[in-house]
Amino acid sequence: MKPGHGEVVLAEGDVEVPAEERELIEAFRRQLDEGMWAAVPTMTNNGRREARMVKAFDDVPRDAERVIFFPRAAGGAG
Amino acid sequence: MVLALCCTAIVIGALLAEVLFPRIEAVLDRRRARRLAAERQGPLMGYDPGRERRAEQRARQLLQSCVNEEEWAMYRDLGFIRVWGRQAGLGSAGAPKAAGAVAGAPYAYLIYPHKPVVAFVPQTRRLLNEYCVEFPDETRPYGSARLPDSDDVLAKWMALTGDERGLIGRANMHLPGRQVDPRQVRRDLWRLSEWERERTRAKRSRGGSVPTQ
């Protein structure tokens, strides 16, 4: 997520292909280094959707379709 | 006589220059600073309503693809999303005892775009707290532009469903009414109950089921 842009695709690839996985890991680390948070949309056993926050590429489920990066939360004005 | 007038004109001119020169210089400085700031921001940073609209469109699609169908319909129809609280009845390790518990939870949140998250008691509609939280883009050097409305809602939704404790811990907590008018929240809760009643009625009349995921 990017202010003024909405969703921006950073990298795409198949984790089963080593070269593509490396690219995905690079992109993942770059985003976290820039201070972004990462979340994976998931579905629970009872069918409800929720998000799972991930802090390392290894935490991302292998079958995850996407990882969403968004700015880190901070206490707002007020 | 002419000489005296000339001298007077010269003196008046000098005095006026003395008074006006700093002002002219200040105006030029301000204009220069504005131009420099605009150049520094680049063409993308200026407000472009078309770009903002397109960004919001993309953000809505992303939100729809992530949240539950009921939550998306709620946001589309009412402009906010309710998320059930999960921190009640924490175990010793801090994990919710019933991670899958949703409806019937002792408290819930209302997520509005670019407004504090409001916690309330669903059974009584009593407002508990406001949690002021923002998602500033730290990669920008001079403050941050706001995320599109639907991205802001999705960021709060992901943070609440993925790490409720973490988000609440980072937020600035206030009593209800600090930024969001409690009358508006109560009205929204009433709208929500009417909206849910209508969905249930529609479901019964169709004889089918209203998707809840």
Side-chain angles (χ1 to χ4, degrees):
Chain A
M1 292 178 195
K2 198 169 168 58
H5 291 80
E7 182 186 358
V8 177
V9 178
L10 298 167
E12 282 179 301
D14 184 349
V15 285
E16 302 306 327
V17 180
E20 292 184 11
E21 186 186 22
R22 270 197 300 279
E23 275 179 35
L24 293 174
I25 292 173
E26 279 298 308
F28 185 92
R29 286 187 182 149
R30 209 164 34 241
Q31 289 302 307
L32 261 56
D33 288 346
E34 284 180 9
M36 305 292 269
W37 271 353
V40 181
T42 59
M43 196 173 277
T44 61
N45 292 336
N46 59 9
R48 280 198 71 79
R49 291 181 179 180
E50 58 183 30
R52 178 172 162 186
M53 306 296 285
V54 288
K55 291 180 177 164
F57 192 81
D58 291 340
D59 297 339
V60 179
R62 298 294 283 182
D63 60 348
E65 285 180 13
R66 59 193 164 169
V67 178
I68 298 175
F69 298 96
F70 59 104
R72 203 177 281 256
Chain B
M1 180 66 181
V2 174
L3 184 66
L5 282 174
C6 284
C7 287
T8 308
I10 288 169
V11 169
I12 289 172
L15 288 173
L16 276 176
E18 189 71 23
V19 172
L20 291 178
F21 190 70
R23 293 187 184 183
I24 292 169
E25 200 170 33
V27 169
L28 289 175
D29 279 349
R30 277 201 297 274
R31 191 173 292 179
R32 207 174 298 130
R34 268 202 304 271
R35 201 176 57 236
L36 278 174
E39 281 171 8
R40 214 177 289 137
Q41 285 181 341
L44 286 177
M45 300 314 224
Y47 182 75
D48 176 350
R51 194 188 66 229
E52 299 291 329
R53 257 200 311 276
R54 287 191 295 277
E56 174 58 22
Q57 274 306 111
R58 281 195 293 273
R60 284 177 78 85
Q61 287 171 6
L62 182 64
L63 176 67
Q64 184 179 6
S65 71
C66 291
V67 301
N68 297 291
E69 191 277 335
E70 182 196 33
E71 291 169 329
W72 165 249
M74 200 183 289
Y75 181 65
R76 184 196 58 210
D77 297 344
L78 304 173
F80 56 82
I81 288 180
R82 176 195 53 206
V83 172
W84 299 106
R86 303 166 190 212
Q87 291 294 309
L90 289 177
S92 56
K97 279 178 182 167
V102 282
Y107 67 99
Y109 301 100
L110 288 187
I111 300 178
Y112 294 96
H114 295 297
K115 279 186 186 175
V117 174
V118 179
F120 68 100
V121 180
Q123 286 76 17
T124 61
R125 297 187 190 170
R126 186 166 70 90
L127 307 187
L128 298 172
N129 294 304
E130 281 183 10
Y131 296 98
C132 302
V133 63
E134 291 174 347
F135 297 91
D137 186 358
E138 304 290 355
T139 58
R140 294 171 59 133
Y142 303 106
S144 60
R146 301 192 326 170
L147 287 171
D149 284 359
S150 301
D151 271 353
D152 183 71
V153 168
L154 178 57
K156 286 170 184 161
W157 180 86
M158 289 194 296
L160 266 181
T161 59
D163 182 15
E164 180 184 343
R165 260 194 158 183
L167 183 73
I168 295 306
R170 281 169 180 267
N172 290 329
M173 188 182 80
H174 297 294
L175 292 173
R178 170 94 175 200
Q179 282 194 58
V180 186
D181 184 352
R183 284 172 304 183
Q184 186 209 320
V185 180
R186 289 198 187 95
R187 204 162 45 238
D188 286 342
L189 290 174
W190 175 80
R191 286 170 63 220
L192 176 59
S193 63
E194 290 297 305
W195 180 83
E196 287 184 312
R197 199 168 297 144
E198 185 55 40
R199 269 172 71 90
T200 309
R201 202 177 299 140
K203 167 192 162 187
R204 284 191 187 134
S205 69
R206 279 200 307 270
S209 66
V210 174
T212 54
Q213 58 167 296

